Amino acid sequence: MKEEYQQVVIKYYSDVLERDTEEILWAITTDKEKDLFKIDSIPFYGAELSCEDIVYAKWNNNTQLFDFQHIETVSGNTTVQVIVQKDNYNREDLYNEILLSNTEIELVDDYYFVINVPQKTDYKNVYAILSALEDEKIISFAEPNLSAKHSADIR
């Protein structure tokens, strides 16, 4: 069966942008009759959901998009926001180091990106890399949606 992609609009207050914001995320239809979708994008600015969460969204005739209503099933994934603070740092090395710890990255620009940490990934390893880079003042990072499993990984 071919996956059917839809765009889901989510509105929330972003601590990164310090204002109400609207973000359009790609999602895979999981149950058309029940308006359920699996998020297939990493939220950029602090939405309290993660990639692979199943969400309920209603069709909006005005925008011709689905409007996020609530999370139906939490994926257990974690979303991490990263700001690169050092100008002359090899970005490819930075990305590769993080990707090698079994994560996914979506770039916003040269100085800001988000990471999806799948539930199966041991967050202790990812956290160690991010913390070391933060200690070296290369990046700063935030965890707007830290899963319970990943929180337990770093305790």
Side-chain angles (χ1 to χ4, degrees):
M1 183 168 121
K2 187 178 180 207
E3 293 178 335
E4 183 181 326
Y5 284 85
Q6 299 292 338
Q7 291 183 311
V8 175
V9 178
I10 181 167
K11 298 174 184 178
Y12 58 94
Y13 181 82
S14 169
D15 289 333
V16 172
L17 300 173
E18 297 180 330
R19 62 177 164 83
D20 288 329
T21 191
E22 182 177 291
E23 195 169 344
I24 299 174
L25 303 174
W26 283 105
I28 300 167
T29 304
T30 59
D31 189 324
K32 198 175 214 168
E33 286 75 38
K34 294 182 180 177
D35 292 330
L36 297 177
F37 305 90
K38 180 166 73 171
I39 298 298
D40 195 47
S41 301
I42 307 170
F44 285 133
Y45 300 112
E48 292 184 3
L49 57 89
S50 288
C51 191
E52 298 183 355
D53 285 355
I54 305 294
V55 302
Y56 171 69
K58 289 171 107 174
W59 180 252
N60 183 321
N61 285 323
N62 295 330
T63 64
Q64 297 293 295
L65 299 169
F66 285 90
D67 288 336
F68 169 82
Q69 300 298 306
H70 66 266
I71 298 171
E72 190 77 17
T73 307
V74 175
S75 65
N77 293 356
T78 288
T79 302
V80 180
Q81 302 163 326
V82 179
I83 296 173
V84 179
Q85 296 180 310
K86 197 169 188 178
D87 283 331
N88 52 355
Y89 188 78
N90 186 322
R91 301 280 193 276
E92 290 302 313
D93 288 346
L94 172 64
Y95 304 146
N96 288 334
E97 187 173 1
I98 293 167
L99 288 170
L100 284 173
S101 60
N102 196 25
T103 63
E104 301 167 303
I105 293 176
E106 283 196 35
L107 304 174
V108 176
D109 58 35
D110 284 345
Y111 294 95
Y112 185 74
F113 61 94
V114 289
I115 304 169
N116 177 51
V117 183
Q119 180 181 22
K120 66 182 182 240
T121 299
D122 185 346
Y123 189 61
K124 180 175 39 189
N125 299 328
V126 178
Y127 187 81
I129 292 166
L130 295 173
S131 294
L133 291 166
E134 189 169 62
D135 290 346
E136 294 174 37
K137 307 257 188 270
I138 294 168
I139 66 160
S140 65
F141 72 97
E143 302 154 319
N145 197 26
L146 180 62
S147 75
K149 187 263 188 197
H150 290 144
S151 179
D153 287 350
I154 57 177
R155 281 195 207 130

